[in-house]
């Protein structure tokens, strides 16, 4: 399936797919999540430093 994403979301998709928990997900699922994100949310995630981006999610 071909996904049409703007350049920022394409960059974020590539970055997310380097994380094991996102590698386990279907790419279509991840693309749909990206589609629901606002441009501001996408820009915020892309601006994160690597240590913050790759940090484990907080315990619930």
């Amino acid at each position: 399936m071909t996904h049409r994403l703007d350049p920022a979301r394409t960059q974020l998709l590539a970055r997310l797919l380097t994380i094991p928990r996102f590698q386990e997900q279907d790419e279509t699922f991840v693309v749909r999540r990206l589609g629901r994100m606002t441009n501001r949310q996408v820009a915020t995630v892309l601006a994160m430093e690597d240590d913050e981006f790759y940090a484990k999610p907080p315990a619930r």
Side-chain angles (χ1 to χ4, degrees):
M1 175 177 221
T2 302
H3 309 291
R4 292 189 182 180
L5 296 172
D6 61 79
R9 284 179 173 76
T10 301
Q11 183 180 358
L12 182 54
L13 176 62
R15 196 167 180 197
L16 287 173
L17 292 178
T18 65
I19 300 174
R21 73 173 180 269
F22 285 101
Q23 291 171 352
E24 297 168 1
Q25 298 289 332
D26 180 49
E27 187 174 323
T28 303
F29 171 79
V30 179
V31 168
R32 286 182 181 155
R33 284 185 74 176
L34 290 176
R36 291 192 299 264
M37 292 176 72
T38 65
N39 290 341
R40 187 175 188 170
Q41 289 172 321
V42 171
T44 301
V45 175
L46 286 174
M48 287 180 178
E49 295 291 329
D50 285 345
D51 58 338
E52 184 181 11
F53 183 80
Y54 291 110
K56 292 189 179 203
R60 293 185 180 202

